[in-house]
């Protein structure tokens, strides 16, 4: 049996998170969801994820901060930053977090484009 | 018999002798004296009058000078008040536009989340329903999501417009690319003759290539929107004019109403049914960044000519 890849969605928009979860579960992934940065960090302590999909704008913090903290756990987890922010790369760069992300995707993304990015990152 | 005349005459003579002069002479003397007196008086009067007039003139002159200086200071005050009013209005306008820009950018950004959720929901419904009959409807939703995203991008592009990154750009290549793109996308368009821009074929200018593309694409797009009949023609011409390159995009479309002309570069001003009103606002901002100018001439029912002048080099 092939081990299911584990994905954590860090997203404060509940509806979007639900739709994403449904789609990713349909594609065969084991999906968890965190509404806040704090929740994401605590979930990451309990479970080893293969990929984190992190929204930049969160209620308690931003995706760059979460990314840095998760990265510090030194797991083989891959990271995708998702955002509706226009100059998201610049914002990440200012926090020295751009190089930590495996991909940066802007909203509203095309589902197929997102899934193929996830697929290729997890295949590496 | 002595007649009355004689008596009178005698009397007269008597009186003459008595007083050593006769009344006629007296009268004459009096008259002379009067005349002399009158003359003196007249002269005095004249002098007085002259003095008065002179004084008046002097006063007038003084008044005139005062008036003139007052006029000058009034004019200066008026000019100062006018320019202050203009500056205040300009500031107010800029602030209003900045506020609208901030609002639009915030709204646009916030709309990306719901759009992303709709996108995902469509994906999920499509997968679950697995019904080809619904494909057309899904296609429609996707198309509208893409359109919304385009509007949002336009608004955000405007609000986040950054100063250009100057590099040496072959302006002909950029213009040619924009014309070819426009002809590819805009179906009704008649072929735009590239010979009109041949004169700048080798010209290199200091510009931001991406921003330049944005300007030309917007101008071509506007020209295309203005021509709504089969005889629509868009002509693009370019030439070197001193230290600048001048590019003109002309159409024979519906033209711009005179009352609208001064607002066409204002952000969010549009007369199109579909449009954010940001095209020319973006162009103007980019051209300002490049220290260039934009000139719009238009006649209602005849067409519009937009002329953009961009300096070849950017001074320090």
């Amino acid at each position: 049996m092939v081990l299911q890849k584990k994905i954590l969605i860090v997203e404060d928009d509940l509806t979007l998170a639900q739709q994403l979860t449904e789609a990713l579960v349909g594609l065969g992934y084991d999906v968890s969801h965190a509404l806040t940065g704090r929740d994401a960090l605590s979930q990451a302590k309990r479970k080893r994820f293969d990929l984190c999909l992190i929204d930049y704008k969160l209620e308690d913090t931003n995706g760059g901060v979460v990314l840095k903290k998760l990265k510090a756990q030194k797991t083989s987890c891959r990271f995708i930053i998702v955002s509706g922010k226009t100059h998201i790369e610049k914002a990440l760069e200012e926090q020295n977090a751009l190089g930590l992300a495996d991909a940066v995707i802007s909203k509203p993304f095309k589902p197929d484009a997102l899934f193929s990015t996830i697929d290729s990152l997890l295949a590496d | 018999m002595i007649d009355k005349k004689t008596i009178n005459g005698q009397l007269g003579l008597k009186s003459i002798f008595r007083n050593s002069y006769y009344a006629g002479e007296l009268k004459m003397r009096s008259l002379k004296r009067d005349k002399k007196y009158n003359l003196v008086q007249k002269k005095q009067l004249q002098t007085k009058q002259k003095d008065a007039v002179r004084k008046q003139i002097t006063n007038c002159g003084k008044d005139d000078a005062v008036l003139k200086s007052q006029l000058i200071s009034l004019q200066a005050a008026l000019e100062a008040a006018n320019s202050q009013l203009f500056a205040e209005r300009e500031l107010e306008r800029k602030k209003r536009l900045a506020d609208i820009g901030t609002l639009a950018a915030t709204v646009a950004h916030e709309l990306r989340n719901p759009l992303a959720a709709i996108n995902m929901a469509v994906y999920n419904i499509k997968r679950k329903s697995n019904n080809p009959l619904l494909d057309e409807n899904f296609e429609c939703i996707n198309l509208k999501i893409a359109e919304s995203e385009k509007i949002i991008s336009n608004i955000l592009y405007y609000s986040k417009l950054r100063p250009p990154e100057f590099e040496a750009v072959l302006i002909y290549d950029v213009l040619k690319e924009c014309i070819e793109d426009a002809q590819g996308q805009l179906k009704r368009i008649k072929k735009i003759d590239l010979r009109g821009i041949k004169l700048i074929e080798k010209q290199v200018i200091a510009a931001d290539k991406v921003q330049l593309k944005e300007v030309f694409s917007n101008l071509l797009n506007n020209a295309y929107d203005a021509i709504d009949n089969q005889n629509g023609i868009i002509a693009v011409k370019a030439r070197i004019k001193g230290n600048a390159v001048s590019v003109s995009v002309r159409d024979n479309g519906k033209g711009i109403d005179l009352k609208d002309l001064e607002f066409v570069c204002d952000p969010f001003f549009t007369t199109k049914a579909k449009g954010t009103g940001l095209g020319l606002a973006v162009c103007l901002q980019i051209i300002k960044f490049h220290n260039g100018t934009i000139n719009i001439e238009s006649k209602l029912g005849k067409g519009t000519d937009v002329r953009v002048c961009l300096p070849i080099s950017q001074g320090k």
Side-chain angles (χ1 to χ4, degrees), chain B residues 196-215:
Chain B
I197 59 171
K198 204 82 181 162
L199 283 172
I200 59 160
E201 202 175 3
K202 302 266 185 286
Q203 187 60 55
V204 172
I205 72 165
D208 186 311
K209 203 171 169 181
V210 180
Q211 292 192 350
L212 222 52
K213 262 191 92 170
E214 189 72 24
V215 171

Side-chain angles (χ1 to χ4, degrees), chain B residues 205-312:
Chain B
I205 72 165
D208 186 311
K209 203 171 169 181
V210 180
Q211 292 192 350
L212 222 52
K213 262 191 92 170
E214 189 72 24
V215 171
F216 297 138
S217 301
N218 269 316
L219 297 186
L220 287 164
N221 206 52
N222 282 348
Y224 175 76
D225 284 341
I227 49 172
D228 46 9
N229 54 43
Q230 293 298 315
N231 304 317
I233 296 170
I234 299 173
V236 184
K237 286 199 172 120
R239 66 194 173 100
I240 297 158
K241 204 175 155 189
N243 295 323
V245 171
S246 158
V247 178
S248 120
V249 178
R250 205 178 69 231
D251 67 73
N252 61 347
K254 57 187 169 192
I256 304 163
D257 203 329
L258 197 64
K259 71 174 167 52
D260 293 337
L261 203 55
E262 67 172 305
F263 302 114
V264 290
C265 286
D266 275 5
F268 306 104
F269 178 86
T270 186
T271 55
K272 296 180 193 174
K274 265 188 186 177
T276 50
L278 289 171
L280 279 177
V282 165
C283 290
L284 179 67
Q285 189 55 57
I286 292 174
I287 291 163
K288 270 188 187 167
F289 277 152
H290 283 76
N291 301 310
T293 57
I294 180 167
N295 249 303
I296 304 170
E297 280 177 27
S298 189
K299 257 192 181 159
L300 209 59
K302 297 274 185 209
T304 303
D305 186 0
V306 183
R307 200 173 293 266
V308 172
C309 245
L310 295 165
I312 288 169

Side-chain angles (χ1 to χ4, degrees), chain B residues 33-292:
Chain B
R33 203 175 54 224
D34 280 357
K35 205 174 176 183
K36 201 174 174 187
Y37 176 78
N38 278 348
L39 267 173
V40 171
Q41 274 221 321
K42 207 174 171 185
K43 264 193 181 168
Q44 277 178 348
L45 192 71
Q46 272 179 347
T47 316
K48 260 188 190 172
Q49 276 175 343
K50 266 186 196 166
D51 281 350
V53 170
R54 205 169 286 143
K55 206 173 174 188
Q56 266 179 1
I57 291 172
T58 317
N59 281 344
C60 271
K62 274 182 195 164
D63 289 349
D64 206 34
V66 171
L67 271 178
K68 261 185 196 162
S69 77
Q70 276 181 349
L71 189 69
I72 289 168
S73 54
L74 262 177
Q75 274 172 339
L78 193 69
E79 259 170 46
N82 258 347
S83 63
Q84 197 188 343
L85 193 70
F86 180 76
E88 274 171 17
R89 274 196 191 155
E90 196 54 23
L91 201 71
E92 200 181 301
R93 188 171 149 270
K94 274 189 183 153
K95 194 189 169 303
R96 187 171 52 85
L97 293 177
D99 286 348
I100 297 172
T102 310
L103 173 73
T106 311
V107 172
H109 176 235
E110 289 308 310
L111 281 174
R112 281 184 161 166
N113 258 338
L115 277 180
I118 295 170
N119 231 342
M120 285 310 307
V122 171
Y123 174 89
N124 287 329
I125 301 168
K126 197 175 174 184
R127 189 175 53 85
K128 280 193 280 190
S129 68
N130 199 17
N131 181 353
L133 284 174
L134 296 176
D135 281 357
E136 208 178 308
N137 304 88
F138 290 134
E139 206 40 56
C140 171
I141 300 174
N142 284 334
L143 196 71
K144 292 298 147 184
I145 292 173
E147 264 180 35
S148 309
E149 165 56 11
K150 180 91 187 126
I151 295 170
I152 291 169
S153 297
N154 277 342
I155 294 173
L156 290 175
Y157 182 84
Y158 171 73
S159 68
K160 304 267 156 92
L161 209 51
R162 295 271 184 274
E165 282 171 22
F166 290 113
E167 55 175 330
V169 177
L170 267 167
I171 185 168
Y172 175 85
D173 287 358
V174 179
L175 201 48
K176 188 172 163 238
E177 199 182 323
C178 291
I179 291 171
E180 282 166 359
D181 281 355
Q183 289 188 141
Q185 287 164 18
L186 316 170
K187 296 291 171 215
R188 282 185 292 123
I189 207 167
K190 279 190 182 164
K191 201 169 161 33
I192 298 172
D193 198 344
L194 285 176
R195 277 178 301 181
I197 59 171
K198 204 82 181 162
L199 283 172
I200 59 160
E201 202 175 3
K202 302 266 185 286
Q203 187 60 55
V204 172
I205 72 165
D208 186 311
K209 203 171 169 181
V210 180
Q211 292 192 350
L212 222 52
K213 262 191 92 170
E214 189 72 24
V215 171
F216 297 138
S217 301
N218 269 316
L219 297 186
L220 287 164
N221 206 52
N222 282 348
Y224 175 76
D225 284 341
I227 49 172
D228 46 9
N229 54 43
Q230 293 298 315
N231 304 317
I233 296 170
I234 299 173
V236 184
K237 286 199 172 120
R239 66 194 173 100
I240 297 158
K241 204 175 155 189
N243 295 323
V245 171
S246 158
V247 178
S248 120
V249 178
R250 205 178 69 231
D251 67 73
N252 61 347
K254 57 187 169 192
I256 304 163
D257 203 329
L258 197 64
K259 71 174 167 52
D260 293 337
L261 203 55
E262 67 172 305
F263 302 114
V264 290
C265 286
D266 275 5
F268 306 104
F269 178 86
T270 186
T271 55
K272 296 180 193 174
K274 265 188 186 177
T276 50
L278 289 171
L280 279 177
V282 165
C283 290
L284 179 67
Q285 189 55 57
I286 292 174
I287 291 163
K288 270 188 187 167
F289 277 152
H290 283 76
N291 301 310

Side-chain angles (χ1 to χ4, degrees), chain A residues 1 8 20 33 59 61 79 90 96 108 117:
Chain A
M1 193 186 116
L8 173 66
L20 258 174
H33 169 229
E59 268 169 30
T61 179
F79 296 95
K90 204 174 174 199
N96 294 321
T117 307

Side-chain angles (χ1 to χ4, degrees), chain A residues 61-118:
Chain A
T61 179
N62 71 57
V65 175
V66 178
L67 171 62
K68 275 161 111 174
K69 286 187 177 164
L70 287 175
K71 196 81 183 176
Q73 294 181 350
K74 290 185 177 157
T75 59
S76 59
C77 186
R78 314 304 296 265
F79 296 95
I80 299 177
I81 294 281
V82 182
S83 178
K85 222 171 139 63
T86 313
H87 294 283
I88 175 67
E89 279 91 349
K90 204 174 174 199
L92 287 171
E93 205 177 350
E94 279 164 9
Q95 298 178 53
N96 294 321
L98 185 61
L100 305 178
D102 295 287
V104 178
I105 290 178
S106 55
K107 283 180 188 170
F109 42 78
K110 289 216 161 59
D112 288 329
L114 175 69
F115 300 148
S116 70
T117 307
I118 291 175

